[in-house]
Amino acid sequence: AQTVTQSQPEMSVQEAETVTLSCTYDTSESDYYLFWYKQPPSRQMILVIRQEAYKQQNATENRFSVNFQKAAKSFSLKISDSQLGDAAMYFCAYRSAESYNTDKLIFGTGTRLQVFP
Amino acid sequence: GAVVSQHPSWVICKSGTSVKIECRSLDFQATTMFWYRQFPKQSLMLMATSNEGSKATYEQGVEKDKFLINHASLTLSTLTVTSAHPEDSSFYICSARETGLAGENYEQYFGPGTRLTVT
């Protein structure tokens, strides 16, 4: 079974600085997707970024980028130029791309990010 | 963008009663919807996968008779917590997968969640 581990329960960053959130996962599959979701105090889950395992290039979305290391099964999220609105819970998630099990999202335990002015 | 709504956003019920939570995809059709449960300061746990026109698939450890799921149309899935007890108090989140997108290249769109408190 696949597992997702986020070893940092809490992180903090100064406004305008850069922070990196860690995520590791375990799987025997070769094809899968990885996601970072943001959950602000409103509890609405928001997709931040996604990465296809077959793509070597790291995904980037504006100030958010990932460092995907497939061999090490590592998927970290870098937030550049942090803003107060980035404060939230961040969840790393895994989804299989195998045809028999493509739907389930497996979430990590989350990292609470605080942003200080 | 795709929008998923949930109703109610919060509900308080007495122990022993049943409560129904609705999940709707507002601007797209969803063959598959998912129900998650989230305890305070914890992650989302998948409870079940809801497929339109067929029985839901429950995750291990989730009581089918307690958490009834109905996905009667392409835009609506409901979760009914039967004979609710205080330990069922939690935050319930649904998500929906858009129908028609081929292969694995689709997104799950999340609802805003429903906070259930059982007294």
Side-chain angles (χ1 to χ4, degrees):
Chain A
Q2 296 82 23
T3 58
V4 177
T5 301
Q6 292 179 250
S7 59
Q8 306 157 316
E10 291 190 2
M11 291 284 285
S12 61
V13 64
Q14 205 83 23
E15 200 175 3
E17 296 296 310
T18 297
V19 64
T20 299
L21 309 184
S22 301
C23 172
T24 58
Y25 59 95
D26 189 28
T27 183
S28 58
E29 298 174 336
S30 59
D31 198 12
Y32 48 87
Y33 297 86
L34 296 167
F35 305 84
W36 278 98
Y37 283 91
K38 171 184 178 182
Q39 189 180 42
S42 67
R43 307 292 290 271
Q44 173 73 59
M45 296 287 284
I46 302 166
L47 177 65
V48 175
I49 200 165
R50 64 179 270 166
Q51 174 80 42
E52 290 88 346
Y54 62 85
K55 289 186 178 179
Q56 292 187 341
Q57 187 173 8
N58 289 325
T60 299
E61 287 288 342
N62 300 315
R63 298 182 294 106
F64 300 88
S65 62
V66 299
N67 183 2
F68 174 48
Q69 301 290 328
K70 190 172 184 179
K73 297 180 182 175
S74 170
F75 182 61
S76 61
L77 174 70
K78 186 172 81 171
I79 306 174
S80 304
D81 186 26
S82 297
Q83 300 175 358
L84 294 177
D86 295 333
M89 278 291 285
Y90 286 82
F91 292 100
C92 178
Y94 171 103
R95 176 160 61 82
S96 169
E98 301 291 335
S99 60
Y100 58 87
N101 191 24
T102 57
D103 290 335
K104 295 181 182 181
L105 278 172
I106 299 170
F107 286 92
T109 50
T111 297
R112 180 170 302 281
L113 177 66
Q114 293 182 304
V115 182
F116 294 104
Chain B
V3 179
V4 176
S5 70
Q6 280 185 242
H7 179 78
S9 55
W10 60 271
V11 57
I12 301 173
C13 70
K14 292 188 175 180
S15 186
T17 62
S18 296
V19 61
K20 180 185 288 187
I21 302 170
E22 294 184 347
C23 176
R24 293 182 184 272
S25 54
L26 298 185
D27 50 3
F28 66 98
Q29 292 186 330
T31 303
T32 304
M33 292 185 174
F34 305 88
W35 286 96
Y36 297 86
R37 184 173 181 177
Q38 186 179 30
F39 289 106
K41 299 185 179 181
Q42 293 191 23
S43 187
L44 281 71
M45 284 180 42
L46 180 65
M47 298 175 64
T49 302
S50 167
N51 295 295
E52 187 267 337
S54 64
K55 290 184 178 180
T57 302
Y58 290 81
E59 293 300 300
Q60 193 172 7
V62 177
E63 298 177 60
K64 301 178 183 181
D65 295 333
K66 180 163 191 63
F67 299 99
L68 300 179
I69 291 172
N70 187 313
H71 193 160
S73 78
L74 287 173
T75 59
L76 174 64
S77 176
T78 61
L79 168 68
T80 301
V81 183
T82 63
S83 186
H85 290 285
E87 57 264 31
D88 298 324
S89 298
S90 188
F91 195 69
Y92 293 88
I93 302 174
C94 74
S95 68
R97 190 192 88 172
E98 192 169 0
T99 299
L101 296 182
E104 309 86 15
N105 193 21
Y106 65 86
E107 300 299 341
Q108 281 189 31
Y109 301 100
F110 284 84
T114 296
R115 182 176 300 283
L116 169 64
T117 300
V118 184
T119 60

